[in-house]
Structures are given as C-alpha cells and as structure tokens.
Amino acid sequence: MITYEDFLIRVAEVRAKIAEACRVAGRDPAEVALLAVTKTHPAVAAEYAARCGLAAVGENRVQEAVEKRPLVSASAPGLRWELIGHLQSNKAKLAVQTFDRVQSVDSEKLLNHLDRAAGESGKTLGVLLQINAGNDPAKFGAEPGDASKLLEVALAKTHLRIEGLMTIAPLGANPAEGAELAVRTFGNLRTIRDELAGRFGVPLRELSMGMSGDLAAAVAAGSTVVRVGTALFGGRS
Ligand SMILES: *Cc1c(COP(=O)(O)O)cnc(C)c1O
C-alpha cells in the first residue's frame, strides 16, 4: 500500500488530468466527480480517500465492501460507498444494506430485487443503469437496444432513484484501438442518455464513464463520474 503522501500526489495528478480535459471540452471541473476505486486494496485506501476530501469510493464486490466498510466507519463517517461491479439478484439485499448507490444495474430482475430490498430497509436507493455501450461480449450491462425498456421499468420503482447511466469501454487489442473504442463507447452512452432523457422527460444527470486509462476521453464526452483505481492507488495484485 502506498503512503498517504504518495496518494496525495496521485490525487493531484488525476485532478490535473480531469481539469485539462475539462478545459479542452469547455466544461467546469466541478461537474466531474472523482470516485476512488478501492477494490483489492486494504480498508485504509478508503480512509485516504475520505481524508483528502473525496466524497465516495467504489468497490466491485459486495462481500469485500461488507468487510471493509465497518473498519473505516468511525474514521470516515461521511464517506459514501458505491457498487461498480456486477451484482447477482440474490445479493441485492446485502448490497442495499452496504452501499449508498449501485452503478451496475443491468436487468429487470435486479431492479425488482433492489426495489424490494430498499423498501424493506426503508430507504430510497440511488442507482445507475449499466449499459454495454461498447457492445462488448465480455462486458456486463444491458444492451443499448434494451435500455429504453429497462429505464421504463426502473422509473416505475418507488424505492429506487434513477440518477443516470454507467458504462465500461471494451479493452482494445492495442492502445490505439483501445483509445478509439473508448471514444466510440463514451459517445454512444452520451447519445443514449440524451435520447432517453428526452423521451422519458427525466434528467439522467449522471454519466459514469472513464477509468485510469481513458478518463480524458470520457470527460470530453460528458462524463460526470470518473472511476479511478490504478492511477490513485497503484496496480492491483
Ligand atoms: C476496477 C474498476 C475501475 C477502475 O479501473 P482502473 O483502471 O484501476 O482505474 C473502474 N470501473 C470499474 C467498473 C472497475 O471494476
């Protein structure tokens, strides 16, 4: 695990990258939230994020967050936890109890389970719909053609608040192809969001897209949440 001082340097570097991408795109950096992805790192990673003023951390497995969150609840009480990895319906209840927002909602079945669990917990859960905007056979996420139906079902849920869309760009065979796929995927998600927001008359404000390697392209396409792990905490073993 890196030191807190090293972490601060990395945060400054990532923020500078976001700021530069915003400058080029004519956007306000305040519109782009930095979600610190702490998966596979010890709980102190979440504490680092809170200590330097980041609002939220992202985890991709429910069980890992179940174990880590209590370890930092005293030192980082206001920190929000978001699920960014695939969620099975049978873990919906635990996810609702553990996370402040779920970014990886990709099926009607999961919507049903999350809505019921949120109702039982007496809370309204913020969610993003994960869309496979890069048409990547290796990725989870609803197919773009199914997004409209999924949103229609989601908007009828009384214990869920549909805040926007999330996507992950496909891995390219090489860096140049990866960069091209990222641009295309993020542009697709932006188009899908604009189209759905218009058709359903809802803001769908959040566009969660961009990671360590492709955050500039995501910001250019309108990202409001970049999910960054490696650039903040180093590689994962
Ligand atoms: C791991 C992960 C990230 C962070 O990826 P880095 O390349 O380490 O920045 C972002 N989003 C999702 C869904 C992830 O699983």
Side-chain angles (χ1 to χ4, degrees), residues 1-156:
M1 188 65 200
I2 61 170
T3 65
Y4 183 63
E5 287 65 34
D6 283 342
F7 173 71
L8 287 181
I9 293 167
R10 287 163 173 267
V11 171
E13 286 167 355
V14 170
R15 283 204 192 286
K17 224 179 226 182
I18 294 170
E20 173 59 13
C22 282
R23 192 191 60 75
V24 171
R27 299 186 61 202
D28 178 355
E31 293 172 10
V32 184
L34 174 56
L35 180 73
V37 176
T38 48
K39 68 185 186 198
T40 77
H41 296 293
V44 71
E47 210 174 280
Y48 283 8
R51 213 201 301 176
C52 85
L54 295 178
V57 293
E59 287 281 337
N60 70 333
R61 289 175 49 240
V62 177
Q63 192 53 40
E64 191 174 334
V66 164
E67 287 163 23
K68 291 199 293 200
R69 187 165 186 167
L71 300 176
V72 300
S73 59
S75 54
L79 187 67
R80 292 167 47 82
W81 291 66
E82 303 201 21
L83 180 62
I84 59 173
H86 183 64
L87 177 61
Q88 288 172 322
S89 298
N90 62 5
K91 295 209 180 116
K93 191 174 176 131
L94 193 55
V96 166
Q97 292 164 349
T98 307
F99 292 98
D100 300 289
R101 183 160 76 174
V102 175
Q103 295 203 2
S104 47
V105 179
D106 62 358
S107 73
E108 292 182 27
K109 185 178 175 193
L110 187 53
L111 281 168
N112 294 337
H113 281 75
L114 286 171
D115 184 54
R116 190 179 322 133
E120 286 167 7
S121 300
K123 72 190 234 184
T124 303
L125 181 73
V127 304
L128 305 185
L129 302 181
Q130 183 179 350
I131 308 298
N132 187 7
N135 299 297
D136 181 349
K139 289 283 189 295
F140 290 109
E143 294 311 311
D146 298 332
S148 178
K149 182 71 205 305
L150 191 64
L151 178 61
E152 185 182 339
V153 171
L155 289 172

Side-chain angles (χ1 to χ4, degrees), residues 31-33 80 82 101 103 127-129 162-166 189 193 203-209 222-226:
E31 293 172 10
V32 184
R80 292 167 47 82
E82 303 201 21
R101 183 160 76 174
Q103 295 203 2
V127 304
L128 305 185
L129 302 181
I162 317 308
E163 297 177 343
L165 307 180
M166 183 270 241
L189 193 70
R193 191 280 301 274
L204 299 177
R205 206 190 70 79
E206 298 275 40
L207 280 176
S208 174
M209 53 190 195
S223 174
T224 63
V225 183
V226 290

